Amino acid sequence: MTNCYFQLRRIVFSGSTDDQAALDFFSGINVICGASDTGKSFLSESIDFMLGGSSLREITERSKFGSIDLDLAINNEENYRIQRSTSGGGFKLTKLNDSENQSALPLKQAHGHDKTDNLSGFLLEKIGLLGKRILKNKKGETVSLSFRNLARLTIVQEGEIQQTGSPFWDGQYIGKTPQLATIKLLLTGVDDSKVVSASNPEPDNAKQIALIDELLADLSTEIADVGEEENELTAQFSRLESSIETQRESLNNAQQTLDVLLNNRRKLFEHCRKLEGRLREIQEYLARFDLLSQHYEVDITRLEAIQESGSLFANIEQTPCPLCGAAPDTQHVVGTCDGDVEAIVQAATAEILKISRLKVELADTVAELLSEKSELIAELSTINDEYGLIDSEIQSKIAPLVGYERGSFSELVEKRESVKKAVELYERVKKLEQRKLTLLQEDEGASEERHPITTGIPVAEAHHFSMKISSILKAWHFPGECIVHFDKDTSDFVIDGKPRGSRGKGLRAITHAAVTIGLLEYCQEYDLPHPGFVVLDSPLLAYFKPEGVDDRALQGTDLKECFYNYLVKHHASESQIIIIENQHPPLDVENKIAMTVFTRNPKEGRFGLL
């Protein structure tokens, strides 16, 4: 073996104080397993970050650590330490074998072609790929190979390992040509530096297609959050429309019943107020009439006194006139004075009779008012009872019913809007895909007419590589005959006549792992450049989160055991495979691998990464 290969040795998270979190790696098979939310996926992201990734995901546990060290071994001979701030930026490189010179060499983050003053150039030089060029597009333009072109082929995150697209490219149109050119370089050892681009390159649609790919990726994320197929959503929308109409009718009926009851209650309330007003009037009249009756009594008493005293004055011996005070000898018996007693008595008597008649009439009026008052009180009691019944029905039955119907109606409307937006997402995807297809056809036609550049993996290498993947799948007891061939149109593999991307996410994950490990083995067998290690996050996803019948059927096989036994058998000191999984490996291989278990239990074992 003439090529150099990397192996990871140690990753250390350091804080401003003595806080440190370290994890060691060894040659052969390394398994990091255990509970969820313990930092397993963050580990693979951190390795990618230390090998040139642009940023590191923010998690709460990361906040107290300011830097990361990653130790690398090259062919188990040279040992280096790469240091970087968790915030990103450039790197510091220290050669650990050199006991005389332990000074750190700064390395830039940005790749520079044929330069080793950056991390990408340093790593590429060590594996013999410095200065290589790969195709940028079908017009023959090339770009410098960066270690980032290789990183996604050797460090496979959980989200990538289960993707429906090709393991060789991320689905973005603008990146397809260089990513496939990277695979071709690894499988053949030949780069594209000799390709001559067109002298007058025509403007293409790459930027528009790249923008469409970004929009499609965003829409795919939104559609994945929805979690339902378009036909299901369309049928659901139709059902919701029907349900809304039915619910609207129920709501209208309930509202009409409520309106009638509210109107009746309002009328009863107004009638009650009217009756109560009339009762107040009667009460005021009765109070006034009582005063008037008392006034009549006083008047009659006064007049009777006048009548009685006048009668006495006319029939007894003469005395001074009670009216004018004249002495008997000076009184005008024949004439009349202002105090004609008889006339006064007659007038008092007449007035008493008049007041008595008025008093009788007043008593009749009071009796009528009291009778009306009694009737009003009875009527008011009946109306209040009726008002109470209607109000009780409104409060206990109709109003809650209307509230429920209105809530159900609003819920259906909101659900319909949600489904409508989801359906619109699919419509937008169709329009964008149609636009992308048009642009691709324009570019394809222009490329075939003006720039007939051959891209992708050569047929011979694709065949040999497919055979390698087939042998791995058979060794893993993958279901089926494991007949594998490479589909140039999709840049993916077809297994037993079925596209790899059309299977469940569990089968996609295990076949993606086979492709990644197969690429490492292929390069080792043919002495071709490769980073030399593989990091796989959740390759056995079918055992943890099965999707569909195929994934669940896989749980009943011995694929898991065969998977680990194969790795132990074929990857020892010259290889390094890092597996990140939730489930533990089989017991019979635990003593043949380096295993770290995250328990998420502060009282038992290692809690997590940080």
Side-chain angles (χ1 to χ4, degrees):
M1 182 182 295
T2 59
N3 280 292
C4 294
Y5 295 105
F6 295 139
Q7 287 190 15
L8 309 182
R9 286 290 174 257
R10 183 178 175 86
I11 187 168
V12 182
F13 295 79
S14 301
S16 57
T17 59
D18 294 333
D19 291 331
Q20 276 196 346
L23 184 64
D24 293 323
F25 304 102
F26 304 90
S27 298
I29 311 305
N30 296 256
V31 177
I32 294 88
C33 59
S36 299
D37 297 325
T38 52
K40 299 191 303 298
S41 292
F42 185 73
L43 172 62
S44 64
E45 295 171 15
S46 299
I47 294 172
D48 184 66
F49 175 71
M50 291 304 295
L51 294 177
S54 59
S55 61
L56 188 61
R57 177 163 54 102
E58 288 279 358
I59 61 173
T60 304
E61 294 81 1
R62 196 200 95 177
S63 59
K64 62 180 180 180
F65 299 106
S67 66
I68 305 176
D69 293 348
L70 180 66
D71 293 353
L72 299 175
I74 301 176
N75 280 10
N76 291 321
E77 297 175 357
E78 299 180 34
N79 293 280
Y80 293 90
R81 175 167 296 159
I82 302 170
Q83 186 179 61
R84 190 183 193 187
S85 168
T86 54
S87 300
F91 301 83
K92 290 182 180 180
L93 177 70
T94 304
K95 187 173 183 180
L96 302 180
N97 301 73
D98 191 350
S99 58
E100 296 180 359
N101 183 16
Q102 291 289 328
S103 60
L105 176 68
L107 293 178
K108 299 177 183 177
Q109 177 185 4
H111 171 76
H113 180 66
D114 216 12
K115 295 181 179 180
T116 58
D117 61 349
N118 58 87
L119 179 68
S120 175
F122 166 76
L123 297 174
L124 290 175
E125 182 188 36
K126 293 300 180 182
I127 59 176
L129 291 175
L130 180 65
K132 300 296 182 180
R133 300 191 69 84
I134 54 176
L135 280 175
K136 176 184 178 182
N137 51 44
K138 295 181 179 181
K139 295 185 296 183
E141 298 174 346
T142 61
V143 293
S144 177
L145 175 72
S146 166
F147 190 80
R148 298 310 301 163
N149 296 113
L150 304 176
R152 67 178 307 275
L153 299 174
T154 190
I155 305 172
V156 186
Q157 311 289 356
E158 181 179 5
E160 297 171 346
I161 204 167
Q162 57 181 290
Q163 68 182 4
T164 57
S166 168
F168 295 149
W169 67 293
D170 57 11
Q172 302 296 316
Y173 172 77
I174 197 171
K176 183 175 182 179
T177 299
Q179 288 173 14
L180 292 180
T182 302
I183 290 294
K184 187 199 76 171
L185 170 60
L186 293 180
L187 293 178
T188 64
V190 179
D191 72 341
D192 297 314
S193 58
K194 301 300 182 181
V195 176
V196 179
S197 64
S199 57
N200 295 310
E202 298 288 335
D204 58 23
N205 298 317
K207 291 183 178 180
Q208 292 187 54
I209 295 173
L211 177 59
I212 291 175
D213 282 336
E214 291 180 10
L215 294 174
L216 286 173
D218 292 339
L219 289 174
S220 296
T221 301
E222 295 183 44
I223 289 174
D225 291 338
V226 172
E228 295 185 60
E229 298 295 332
E230 183 181 10
N231 57 347
E232 296 176 353
L233 290 170
T234 303
Q236 187 178 5
F237 184 82
S238 178
R239 292 194 300 271
L240 284 170
E241 286 283 356
S242 177
S243 298
I244 285 173
E245 289 303 317
T246 302
Q247 190 63 36
R248 180 183 283 112
E249 184 177 351
S250 298
L251 176 59
N252 289 338
N253 292 337
Q255 186 64 52
Q256 289 174 3
T257 302
L258 178 62
D259 291 342
V260 169
L261 290 175
L262 288 174
N263 185 55
N264 292 340
R265 189 180 68 172
R266 178 182 57 79
K267 290 180 179 179
L268 290 173
F269 179 80
E270 291 174 353
H271 192 39
C272 283
R273 298 291 78 79
K274 183 178 179 181
L275 293 179
E276 288 172 351
R278 177 56 182 166
L279 282 172
R280 285 193 294 272
E281 289 180 1
I282 290 175
Q283 196 62 35
E284 291 177 1
Y285 287 147
L286 290 174
R288 292 179 184 178
F289 290 167
D290 183 61
L291 291 175
L292 181 58
S293 178
Q294 294 178 19
H295 182 67
Y296 284 165
E297 291 292 339
V298 171
D299 287 348
I300 289 175
T301 301
R302 178 179 56 80
L303 290 172
E304 287 178 346
I306 293 174
Q307 184 184 43
E308 183 179 356
S309 61
S311 298
L312 291 174
F313 176 76
N315 295 309
I316 62 175
E317 60 180 329
Q318 292 186 340
T319 59
C321 180
L323 299 177
C324 61
D329 56 352
T330 61
Q331 294 176 0
H332 305 284
V333 179
V334 178
T336 60
C337 66
D338 291 340
D340 187 345
V341 175
E342 292 183 3
I344 292 300
V345 170
Q346 292 176 358
T349 301
E351 187 65 20
I352 288 172
L353 293 173
K354 176 182 176 183
I355 291 174
S356 295
R357 287 194 301 270
L358 292 174
K359 188 177 178 182
V360 171
E361 293 176 358
L362 179 60
D364 293 339
T365 301
V366 168
E368 291 177 0
L369 289 175
L370 289 174
S371 176
E372 182 182 358
K373 178 181 177 181
S374 178
E375 293 174 357
L376 289 176
I377 290 174
E379 184 179 0
L380 184 61
S381 177
T382 301
I383 292 176
N384 280 330
D385 291 342
E386 187 176 352
Y387 179 92
L389 291 175
I390 293 177
D391 184 68
S392 176
E393 185 176 4
I394 290 174
Q395 299 297 333
S396 63
K397 295 181 180 180
I398 305 304
L401 176 61
V402 171
Y404 171 78
E405 297 289 352
R406 185 177 290 116
S408 299
F409 181 78
S410 299
E411 184 178 347
L412 287 171
V413 170
E414 290 177 5
K415 181 63 178 177
R416 180 185 63 179
E417 290 304 311
S418 175
V419 172
K420 182 179 179 182
K421 290 180 180 179
V423 172
E424 289 174 351
L425 289 177
Y426 281 101
E427 292 297 327
R428 289 168 60 190
V429 166
K430 289 179 182 178
K431 291 180 180 179
L432 288 172
E433 288 178 340
Q434 182 60 44
R435 176 58 180 162
K436 177 181 176 180
L437 179 61
T438 301
L439 294 173
L440 286 171
Q441 289 173 344
E442 291 176 0
D443 272 1
E444 193 70 28
S447 177
E448 292 176 357
E449 182 178 348
R450 302 184 182 91
H451 317 292
I453 301 296
T454 301
T455 61
I457 305 174
V459 175
E461 280 72 14
H463 173 69
H464 292 309
F465 187 43
S466 297
M467 295 297 292
K468 164 58 69 176
I469 296 172
S470 175
S471 67
I472 292 175
L473 292 176
K474 288 178 180 179
W476 291 357
H477 288 186
F478 188 83
E481 298 181 10
C482 299
I483 299 174
V484 181
H485 75 270
F486 183 73
D487 183 358
K488 190 175 181 64
D489 293 334
T490 62
S491 301
D492 203 349
F493 295 91
V494 177
I495 304 173
D496 292 336
K498 188 174 182 179
R500 192 195 67 85
S502 66
R503 297 172 179 261
K505 63 182 180 182
L507 293 183
R508 294 198 300 269
I510 194 65
T511 52
H512 194 143
V515 172
T516 303
I517 293 174
L519 180 62
L520 170 62
E521 293 184 5
Y522 187 96
C523 291
Q524 290 176 331
E525 290 175 11
Y526 289 92
D527 201 18
L528 295 166
H530 186 280
F533 69 94
V534 165
V535 179
L536 298 174
D537 190 350
S538 304
L540 298 172
L541 191 68
Y543 287 87
F544 182 60
K545 294 180 180 179
E547 177 188 76
V549 177
D550 290 342
D551 282 2
R552 291 186 177 88
L554 195 63
Q555 290 182 302
T557 68
D558 62 348
L559 184 143
K560 178 179 176 180
E561 289 75 12
C562 293
F563 170 79
Y564 279 107
N565 286 325
Y566 177 90
L567 295 182
V568 170
K569 180 179 179 181
H570 292 83
H571 296 275
S573 61
E574 294 181 354
S575 298
Q576 185 180 53
I577 309 291
I578 300 174
I579 304 294
I580 297 173
E581 271 293 351
N582 282 76
Q583 295 187 340
H584 290 215
L587 291 175
D588 60 347
V589 301
E590 287 188 1
N591 61 344
K592 303 175 184 178
I593 63 176
M595 185 172 72
T596 303
V597 180
F598 294 160
T599 64
R600 197 172 174 78
N601 184 347
K603 298 181 180 179
E604 180 183 347
R606 177 165 180 161
F607 181 88
L609 176 64
L610 302 179

